[in-house]
């Protein structure tokens, strides 16, 4: 990964540590990184595997737990020193994380290690992770309609990594594709997995499985109709792999896009919906599988 890019993210981590008691927001930390809000959100998530605001929350609680365990400081003082506005907010957050109130945590004599802050500069990124070359094409896709099924999921604690595959299994096992009308590819289904309606503070987003449709007339109850605006995309194709390696190859390609391609591409994420496209190339009767990842992009500000 481009060294300056890593330094920009590390600068925000260091900033969090130095300003832990202050009001911290994604917008403020993105300014420290000199990246746009959404692009910073995605890059940080790719490196840390949690959103930046979840990292702030966990960091505050880790520092608090250490002080609760090893000092006699008042709980209110610990709360304020670590960015919690009052004793009640601190107690609720602490109990959610550690399943004990701060007072009970101290009474039990728990001695946690002194967890260090994240250091992305110590992580080693190999060029083109997993042997994947970052070949891509830039396209402008006109506005399009999609009919399908949705869930709301979260990147916190990797919930989306379990919920989305389970959602796909449910979709496939129940044959939900047969219920989708008005599709523009009636003979050879082309299915989309679309991430949209992102909430960067909470780490939540909506995931839609569906197909492009010509119109929304006669859509049965239980399906959703969504229209997406025209956008410019960088399109990446995963390498051909046996079906049992398909899911890992998709995940590796996603990581490589953010770790290896974006830093020197001259682009950043546009913050609009992104999607995966599955067509006949990944059907079970094929010996190998591959698919396309569409990332909305905009030119990076100088």
């Amino acid at each position: 990964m481009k060294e300056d890019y890593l330094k920009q993210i590390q600068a925000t981590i260091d900033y969090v540590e130095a300003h832990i008691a202050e009001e911290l927001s994604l917008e403020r930390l993105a300014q420290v990184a000199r990246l746009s809000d959404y692009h910073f959100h995605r890059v940080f998530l790719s490196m840390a595997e949690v959103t930046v605001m979840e990292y702030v929350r966990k960091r505050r609680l880790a520092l608090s737990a250490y002080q609760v365990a090893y000092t006699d400081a008042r709980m209110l003082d610990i709360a304020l020193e670590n960015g919690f506005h009052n004793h009640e907010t601190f107690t609720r957050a602490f109990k959610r994380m550690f399943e004990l109130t701060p007072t009970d945590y101290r009474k039990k004599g728990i001695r946690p290690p002194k967890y260090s802050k994240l250091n992305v500069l110590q992580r080693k990124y190999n060029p083109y992770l997993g042997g994947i070359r970052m070949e891509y094409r830039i396209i402008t896709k006109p506005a399009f309609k999609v009919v399908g099924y949705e869930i709301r999921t979260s990147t916190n604690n990797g919930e989306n990594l379990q919920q989305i595959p389970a959602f796909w299994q449910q979709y496939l096992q129940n044959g939900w594709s047969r219920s989708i009308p008005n599709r523009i590819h009636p003979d050879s289904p082309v299915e989309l997995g679309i991430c949209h309606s992102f909430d960067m503070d909470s780490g939540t987003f909506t995931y839609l499985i569906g197909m492009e449709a010509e119109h929304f007339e006669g859509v049965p109850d239980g399906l959703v109709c969504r229209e997406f605006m025209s956008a410019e995309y960088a399109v990446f194709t995963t390498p051909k792999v046996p079906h049992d390696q398909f899911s890992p190859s998709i995940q590796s390609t996603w990581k490589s896009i953010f770790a290896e391609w974006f830093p020197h591409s001259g682009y950043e994420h546009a913050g609009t919906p992104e999607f995966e496209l599955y067509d006949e190339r990944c059907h079970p009767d094929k010996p190998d599988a591959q698919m396309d990842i569409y990332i909305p992009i905009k030119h990076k500000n100088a």
Side-chain angles (χ1 to χ4, degrees), residues 6 11 20 78 82 94 98-99 105 108 118 130 141 151 157 167 222 234 238 253 259 263 267:
L6 289 168
I20 199 73
I78 293 174
N82 290 289
F94 195 97
F98 300 108
E99 299 183 349
Y105 193 90
K108 285 183 176 292
L118 179 65
K141 182 173 175 58
I151 60 169
N157 300 316
F167 187 42
T238 61
T253 304
Y267 293 99

Side-chain angles (χ1 to χ4, degrees), residues 16 50 102 176-177 191 205 225 237 261 266 283 300:
V16 166
V50 294
W176 287 350
S177 63
E191 289 157 322
F205 63 94
C225 300
T237 301
W261 184 76
H283 286 180
K300 191 182 298 183

Side-chain angles (χ1 to χ4, degrees), residues 26-27 30 35-45 195-200 204-205 254 258 262 268-274 295-296 298:
L26 183 143
E27 293 81 4
L35 296 171
S36 68
D37 293 354
Y38 190 79
H39 191 62
F40 169 68
H41 162 72
R42 288 307 305 271
V43 171
F44 192 96
L45 178 61
C195 300
H196 69 95
S197 302
F198 301 94
D199 184 323
M200 292 182 284
T204 59
F205 63 94
W254 272 103
F258 284 93
F262 262 125
E268 61 184 16
H269 199 294
T272 52
E274 61 198 21
I295 307 290
K298 62 182 180 180

Side-chain angles (χ1 to χ4, degrees), residues 1-13 33 35 38-52 55 117-125 129 155 251 254-264 300:
M1 175 177 276
K2 189 176 179 181
E3 185 178 358
D4 288 348
Y5 216 66
L6 289 168
K7 289 180 179 178
Q8 285 170 257
I9 300 303
Q10 188 61 45
T12 67
I13 294 168
L35 296 171
Y38 190 79
H39 191 62
F40 169 68
H41 162 72
R42 288 307 305 271
V43 171
F44 192 96
L45 178 61
S46 176
M47 290 188 190
E49 300 182 352
V50 294
T51 65
V52 66
Y55 174 78
K117 65 183 178 183
L118 179 65
N119 189 337
V120 298
L121 299 177
Q122 292 179 347
R123 300 178 64 172
K124 297 186 182 299
Y125 290 91
L129 299 179
T155 56
Q251 294 177 13
W254 272 103
K255 289 182 179 180
S256 293
I257 291 167
F258 284 93
E260 301 298 335
W261 184 76
F262 262 125
H264 52 75
K300 191 182 298 183

Side-chain angles (χ1 to χ4, degrees), residues 1 12 14 22 29 45 65 73-74 81 105 108 120 128 162 166 188-189 201 227 241 251 256 267 273 288 290 299:
M1 175 177 276
T12 67
D14 297 342
E22 300 174 16
L29 297 175
L45 178 61
R74 293 191 312 154
E81 187 176 334
Y105 193 90
K108 285 183 176 292
V120 298
Y128 307 124
Q162 269 104 60
S188 180
D201 287 337
E227 187 160 7
V241 295
Q251 294 177 13
S256 293
Y267 293 99
D288 296 312
Q290 63 180 165
H299 286 282

